[in-house]
Amino acid sequence: MSTDLHPLSADNVTTWDHEADVVVAGYGIAGVSASIEAARAGADVLVLERTGGWGGAASLSGGIVYLGGGTPLQKALGFEDTPENMKAFMLAALGPGADEAKITEYCKGSVEHYEWLVDNGVVFKESFWGEPGWEIPGDDGLMYSGGENSAPFNEIATPAPRGHVPQMADKRTGEKGGGYMLMRPLSQAAESLGVRAEYDMRVQRLIVDVDGRVVGLAAKQYGEDVHIRARRGVVLATGSFAYNKEMVASYAPQLMGRPGAAIEEHDGRAIRMAQALGADLAHMDATEVAFFGDPQLMARGILVDGRGQRYVPEDTYPGRIGQLTLLKNDNRAYLIIDEKSYEEGCAATSSTPFFRFRPKWVAETVAELESDMELPAGTLQATVEVYNRHAENGNDPVLGKKSEWTKPIGSPIAALDLRNCTAGFTLGGLRTSVDSEVLHVSGDPIPGLFAAGRCTSGVCAWGYASGTSLGDGSFFGRRAGLSAAKGS
Amino acid sequence: MSTDLHPLSADNVTTWDHEADVVVAGYGIAGVSASIEAARAGADVLVLERTGGWGGAASLSGGIVYLGGGTPLQKALGFEDTPENMKAFMLAALGPGADEAKITEYCKGSVEHYEWLVDNGVVFKESFWGEPGWEIPGDDGLMYSGGENSAPFNEIATPAPRGHVPQMADKRTGEKGGGYMLMRPLSQAAESLGVRAEYDMRVQRLIVDVDGRVVGLAAKQYGEDVHIRARRGVVLATGSFAYNKEMVASYAPQLMGRPGAAIEEHDGRAIRMAQALGADLAHMDATEVAFFGDPQLMARGILVDGRGQRYVPEDTYPGRIGQLTLLKNDNRAYLIIDEKSYEEGCAATSSTPFFRFRPKWVAETVAELESDMELPAGTLQATVEVYNRHAENGNDPVLGKKSEWTKPIGSPIAALDLRNCTAGFTLGGLRTSVDSEVLHVSGDPIPGLFAAGRCTSGVCAWGYASGTSLGDGSFFGRRAGLSAAKGS
């Protein structure tokens, strides 16, 4: 199979196998959102999908969409939020270097985007889930998904839950996750608008005219070369590069050797295709980091690094725990917890009971535990002593864990081994405008080329909140479809 | 002034203002090394330099060149080293994701590269400087410059000093730094080989022929457009992007707001020009981080972060302290040191006496100091207690500081405020082959285009050692010149 990435001149294309006004590569969240909006704007839309059906990584995900600024769901459940408050959180939590222009638009348009999802058939149940967790275990519609109510962010912006989760119980098709319940209505909406799709379509390179305008794509379908003409524009929406080993080594090496929290189709191809045209990139080192510790247990103990020192408020968003563990603390973490709290945590409803590891070490005293764990003498004892001293009063001046989770650690005491318990996906990609135009290194848009989703750098630069990928993928996916339909 | 970065078609060039076999952009360490080798290979060489003379950032630097594997200087001073040992250190210290192919070649060729520098007139004095420090204060020729003899690297490879410093006392021109004493003989060698140079030459974009081969550059000279033809090849050697605010925000945002440890000509232009042709990048987030603490003081105290916890062996390479402080510990550091050690440190010869800040807080007890610093009660006390407990026996099981620097901290005790005491430059750039060909995102070389120095990603991915920039700039600069002269 040809792996040539160089742009192909339209002059060299003798036959166009398919043709549409707007051609979308990838039928995940960004692709379906682009398709709907392009079709509504009057464009004839064709989606090229590598697998055998719509869905992408979105369909297999938990389905959390990061929305706020006062959505009807937030209001109905009694949470106050404004676009400004949402922006203050996102700038603090998702940087350094977060794209302020994108975040501003995203926050301003978030309520409208919620309505758009609902209008397209996505159902959010009017109920809130307030436990520490990765995802909602039942079918509730709203949760904290980025550490908004934890230190340090709860002092930077008024906490508001923004993880909006499509209702999951699906009587017709059996038990399906939130991501499926997001993608199914959207793909149905696209279909009802006449959006066409071609499957087993692996995009290879972009086709350009003499002026450098993107006018189509070359792809492989069932092993054959095919050429697809885009009369108005091409939208790239093929996902991250988490499964491209060479790109990970060059751009996000901290993920080397970690499992990819994505799907293997995420091979970065569209990023490469656009780079070959001089497209700029942004934040290629940024990564989401999943952490295999049960938040119900973590909130009830203390997490220490390889030196026996605390480094994160244990009641925060577990993705933040993952980032701080992998990227700043050598991927070494231990959860220190007493027997009573361990049992309490195990009794609590959890979204991830499979992350409820058994203690590796158990002891009567901290000194014994420290010795069993082969930590330098005195280190863990010092950490627990300082923690307990303030926990007596429900305070955590070191890291700001909330009072409700801050209790002295008693005896017997255990440690869970959470070293190398991370996985992740890449957040960097093509640099795009707020209208989802792919930007050339000169700063100008590349004519005819648009992109959204995880093949672009979205609202996250370094930090992450669950729901921002489906969030910016759908939000800027819509804009990619609109811009492409205009043929700007 | 035109800021168009798009490649210019040679068909559109009516007049070639200058012409040479090999055209080199940038007259710093990579440019001069490329020029010498291209000229020796029989090429007519023209250097385009943006300022009024040769030098670049190299000339203003400390002049450390990272060399090893058993150089004559290492041997003469009694240090054993092999290419394999050097490689083991570099892979451990400069990653994750360090380019093993480049490091392998670099280590294998290091002794020969030392000879080449000496043959071209660079003088290394046969004397070793073994104090903790950034640079050599006198005119000694060899030092540790990457933490080779500190934890954790002293257990990964046999420690060997590899910072080779050109002798600095220059009777003819007055007091000059090591960087100048590196660049002067090399630029003289280039001149004696007939290398020509044009100054005030700001490169703008690459010129390509119909087949996509790079055949020249467009530049601005004294405000006028000029076109320079390269019959065999173009070498990009224009330095980092540390002074391009937009690129720093997109690629290395952790440096935003920090002073650039580079020169303002480091605007990333050559990276952009090559990206416009589809050139690949690597490790754009990687950064050198300078730290404004005097190593003679740091080794004698303990460094703690904003939570009063230690995070780095204080006797290691100060650039590593800088990286860990800025990139992993929120740029917050305090040096805790007792009066006796502070005075000892101040009495010691230092390369950076201007980093010898006065204590901000002084107290009789750790508890008082902790309170004065407004650290959470118990935190600093716990840290000092654990440190002292092991220091009584000259041990530091927490971070592995060497025995010679590990002594209990007594009273009176002081803290130096080293928050926000960092600066840096970028290490990422164009992805190149071991023969310094600029690689397209497809993995193939871009015909006619070569690069070296800090506009490329060299031997460093995340970590850094002083001397690796002048080291890989000169080493792979030579290869860029050779490859370009071949016209491959």
Side-chain angles (χ1 to χ4, degrees):
Chain A
M1 180 178 293
S2 159
T3 57
D4 193 354
L5 278 158
H6 290 82
L8 180 64
S9 167
D11 293 344
N12 295 329
V13 177
T14 49
T15 313
W16 293 104
D17 301 280
H18 300 278
E19 198 165 320
D21 294 329
V22 172
V23 177
V24 178
Y27 214 164
I29 185 64
V32 75
S33 303
S35 299
I36 290 171
E37 293 294 73
R40 289 229 172 93
D44 168 43
V45 181
L46 173 65
V47 186
L48 312 178
E49 165 57 35
R50 175 173 158 172
T51 69
W54 54 261
S59 212
L60 300 169
S61 76
I64 304 173
V65 186
Y66 201 79
L67 298 164
T71 66
L73 189 66
Q74 286 181 312
K75 284 184 179 165
L77 293 168
F79 294 102
E80 290 201 12
D81 197 10
T82 63
E84 295 69 31
N85 186 51
M86 182 181 181
K87 179 177 166 179
F89 169 78
M90 291 180 78
L91 284 178
L94 307 181
D99 187 327
E100 187 168 349
K102 269 188 188 161
I103 287 177
T104 302
E105 293 287 300
Y106 187 82
C107 295
K108 265 170 43 185
S110 195
V111 171
E112 186 277 337
H113 191 51
Y114 172 88
E115 305 282 12
W116 183 87
L117 291 167
V118 170
D119 289 347
N120 281 296
V122 180
V123 177
F124 298 104
K125 185 180 168 194
E126 215 171 271
S127 57
F128 172 70
W129 191 67
E131 295 292 310
W134 269 108
E135 292 174 358
I136 290 173
D139 68 348
D140 302 316
L142 190 65
M143 69 180 291
Y144 284 101
S145 67
E148 297 83 352
N149 59 338
S150 305
F153 306 119
N154 54 2
E155 309 227 316
I156 291 170
T158 305
R162 301 194 184 93
H164 288 61
V165 186
Q167 193 173 4
M168 281 177 247
D170 177 24
K171 304 291 182 291
R172 288 156 297 178
T173 61
E175 200 61 39
K176 292 287 183 182
Y180 179 84
M181 296 308 294
L182 173 69
M183 283 302 295
R184 198 186 58 183
L186 294 180
S187 61
Q188 285 170 343
E191 204 187 341
S192 72
L193 288 162
V195 170
R196 296 174 289 135
E198 286 285 331
Y199 296 102
D200 191 51
M201 191 69 98
R202 291 162 187 259
V203 295
Q204 299 296 308
R205 48 180 173 156
L206 294 165
I207 301 174
V208 291
D209 69 12
V210 284
D211 301 323
R213 183 184 176 84
V214 175
V215 295
L217 297 114
K220 291 273 183 188
Q221 190 178 36
Y222 307 116
E224 299 293 321
D225 285 314
V226 289
H227 299 91
I228 304 99
R229 187 172 162 219
R231 286 182 294 255
R232 299 194 206 166
V234 165
V235 175
L236 301 174
T238 60
S240 81
F241 62 95
Y243 272 84
N244 182 318
K245 277 192 180 178
E246 190 185 64
M247 287 179 77
V248 166
S250 279
Y251 289 112
Q254 63 279 12
L255 279 188
M256 286 168 72
R258 305 308 317 152
I263 56 174
E264 64 180 14
E265 287 78 17
H266 280 208
D267 65 357
R269 184 83 190 182
I271 299 174
R272 292 308 211 189
M273 285 162 47
Q275 274 186 279
L277 272 186
D280 200 5
L281 306 173
H283 301 302
M284 292 295 279
D285 60 311
T287 51
E288 183 267 2
V289 182
F291 188 71
F292 311 147
D294 183 346
Q296 289 280 18
L297 293 181
M298 294 196 289
R300 290 172 167 85
I302 59 171
L303 281 164
V304 300
D305 62 16
R307 298 189 292 271
Q309 297 172 332
R310 287 178 73 218
Y311 61 95
V312 63
E314 294 82 1
D315 61 348
T316 191
Y317 168 54
R320 186 168 159 82
I321 296 176
Q323 288 189 315
L324 291 174
T325 303
L326 176 63
L327 307 175
K328 302 210 169 182
N329 286 284
D330 299 323
N331 211 14
R332 287 188 291 185
Y334 304 98
L335 180 65
I336 310 299
I337 188 166
D338 63 30
E339 190 178 52
K340 184 159 168 283
S341 298
Y342 182 79
E343 282 169 8
E344 264 177 31
C346 288
T349 305
S350 168
S351 60
T352 48
F354 39 93
F355 287 168
R356 211 168 265 172
F357 301 128
R358 300 288 311 161
K360 179 161 175 179
W361 301 275
V362 182
E364 289 301 314
T365 67
V366 182
E368 283 171 57
L369 185 69
E370 174 185 272
S371 166
D372 292 348
M373 293 171 71
E374 298 181 358
L375 289 171
T379 52
L380 185 63
Q381 296 178 71
T383 298
V384 174
E385 211 166 78
V386 172
Y387 178 77
N388 280 357
R389 168 182 183 158
H390 297 284
E392 298 285 356
N393 309 312
N395 295 331
D396 176 22
V398 176
L399 284 149
K401 186 156 74 154
K402 290 184 289 293
S403 275
E404 62 185 293
W405 302 112
T406 303
K407 288 168 192 155
I409 297 172
S411 173
I413 182 168
L416 279 63
D417 188 354
L418 300 177
R419 289 175 293 184
N420 300 313
C421 281
T422 48
F425 60 84
T426 59
L427 298 172
L430 298 170
R431 192 167 155 242
T432 51
S433 71
V434 292
D435 292 315
S436 302
E437 302 152 306
V438 175
L439 297 174
H440 188 264
V441 287
S442 65
D444 303 323
I446 295 175
L449 191 63
F450 309 88
R454 269 306 58 79
C455 68
T456 68
S457 176
V459 294
C460 300
W462 187 89
Y464 193 69
S466 279
T468 52
S469 284
L470 296 178
D472 71 24
S474 53
F475 188 88
F476 292 106
R478 292 173 61 195
R479 292 185 174 209
L482 280 173
S483 295
K486 276 186 208 150
S488 61
Chain B
M1 181 178 289
S2 160
T3 57
D4 193 356
L5 278 158
H6 291 83
L8 179 65
S9 167
D11 293 344
N12 296 328
V13 177
T14 49
T15 313
W16 294 103
D17 301 281
H18 300 278
E19 200 165 317
D21 294 331
V22 172
V23 177
V24 178
Y27 214 163
I29 185 65
V32 74
S33 303
S35 299
I36 290 171
E37 293 296 70
R40 288 227 174 95
D44 168 43
V45 181
L46 173 65
V47 186
L48 313 178
E49 165 58 34
R50 174 173 158 170
T51 67
W54 54 261
S59 211
L60 300 169
S61 76
I64 304 172
V65 186
Y66 202 81
L67 298 164
T71 66
L73 189 66
Q74 286 180 313
K75 285 185 178 164
L77 293 168
F79 295 102
E80 291 200 12
D81 196 10
T82 65
E84 294 69 32
N85 186 53
M86 182 180 179
K87 179 176 166 179
F89 169 78
M90 290 180 79
L91 284 178
L94 307 181
D99 186 328
E100 186 166 352
K102 268 188 189 161
I103 287 176
T104 303
E105 293 287 301
Y106 186 83
C107 295
K108 265 170 45 186
S110 195
V111 170
E112 186 277 336
H113 191 52
Y114 173 89
E115 305 281 11
W116 182 87
L117 290 168
V118 169
D119 289 347
N120 281 295
V122 180
V123 177
F124 298 105
K125 185 180 169 193
E126 215 171 89
S127 57
F128 172 70
W129 191 67
E131 297 291 310
W134 269 109
E135 293 175 356
I136 290 173
D139 69 348
D140 301 317
L142 190 65
M143 68 179 292
Y144 283 101
S145 68
E148 297 83 353
N149 59 337
S150 305
F153 307 118
N154 54 3
E155 308 228 316
I156 292 169
T158 305
R162 301 193 185 95
H164 287 60
V165 186
Q167 193 172 3
M168 281 178 247
D170 177 24
K171 303 293 182 290
R172 287 157 297 175
T173 60
E175 200 60 41
K176 291 287 182 183
Y180 180 84
M181 296 308 294
L182 173 68
M183 283 301 295
R184 198 185 59 183
L186 294 181
S187 61
Q188 285 172 342
E191 202 187 344
S192 73
L193 288 161
V195 169
R196 295 175 291 136
E198 286 285 330
Y199 296 102
D200 190 51
M201 191 70 97
R202 290 161 187 258
V203 295
Q204 299 295 309
R205 48 181 175 156
L206 294 165
I207 301 174
V208 292
D209 69 12
V210 284
D211 301 323
R213 183 185 176 82
V214 175
V215 296
L217 297 115
K220 291 272 183 188
Q221 190 178 34
Y222 306 116
E224 300 292 319
D225 285 315
V226 289
H227 299 91
I228 304 97
R229 186 170 164 223
R231 286 182 294 256
R232 299 194 204 165
V234 166
V235 175
L236 300 175
T238 60
S240 81
F241 62 95
Y243 272 85
N244 183 317
K245 276 191 180 177
E246 190 184 66
M247 288 180 76
V248 166
S250 278
Y251 290 112
Q254 64 278 13
L255 279 189
M256 285 166 73
R258 305 307 317 149
I263 57 175
E264 63 180 15
E265 287 78 18
H266 279 210
D267 65 358
R269 184 83 191 182
I271 299 174
R272 293 305 211 190
M273 286 162 48
Q275 275 187 278
L277 272 186
D280 200 5
L281 305 174
H283 302 302
M284 292 295 278
D285 61 310
T287 51
E288 183 268 0
V289 182
F291 188 70
F292 310 148
D294 183 345
Q296 289 280 18
L297 294 181
M298 294 195 289
R300 290 173 168 84
I302 58 171
L303 281 164
V304 300
D305 63 16
R307 298 190 290 271
Q309 297 171 332
R310 286 177 73 215
Y311 61 95
V312 62
E314 295 81 1
D315 61 346
T316 190
Y317 168 53
R320 186 167 159 80
I321 296 176
Q323 287 189 315
L324 292 174
T325 302
L326 176 64
L327 307 174
K328 302 210 168 182
N329 285 284
D330 300 322
N331 211 13
R332 286 188 292 186
Y334 304 99
L335 179 65
I336 311 298
I337 188 166
D338 62 29
E339 189 178 53
K340 185 160 168 282
S341 298
Y342 182 79
E343 281 170 9
E344 264 176 34
C346 287
T349 305
S350 166
S351 59
T352 48
F354 40 94
F355 288 168
R356 212 167 263 172
F357 301 127
R358 299 289 310 162
K360 180 161 174 178
W361 301 276
V362 182
E364 289 302 313
T365 68
V366 181
E368 283 171 57
L369 186 69
E370 176 185 90
S371 166
D372 292 348
M373 292 171 73
E374 297 179 0
L375 288 172
T379 51
L380 185 63
Q381 294 177 73
T383 298
V384 173
E385 211 166 80
V386 172
Y387 178 78
N388 279 358
R389 168 184 184 158
H390 298 284
E392 299 284 355
N393 309 312
N395 295 331
D396 176 22
V398 177
L399 284 149
K401 185 156 75 156
K402 292 186 288 292
S403 275
E404 61 185 296
W405 302 112
T406 303
K407 288 169 194 157
I409 297 172
S411 172
I413 183 168
L416 279 62
D417 187 354
L418 300 177
R419 289 175 291 184
N420 301 312
C421 282
T422 48
F425 60 83
T426 59
L427 297 171
L430 298 169
R431 191 166 156 244
T432 51
S433 71
V434 293
D435 292 316
S436 302
E437 301 152 308
V438 174
L439 297 174
H440 188 264
V441 288
S442 65
D444 304 324
I446 295 175
L449 191 63
F450 309 88
R454 270 304 61 78
C455 68
T456 68
S457 176
V459 294
C460 299
W462 187 89
Y464 192 70
S466 280
T468 52
S469 284
L470 296 178
D472 71 24
S474 53
F475 188 87
F476 291 106
R478 292 172 61 193
R479 291 184 174 209
L482 281 172
S483 295
K486 276 185 208 151
S488 63

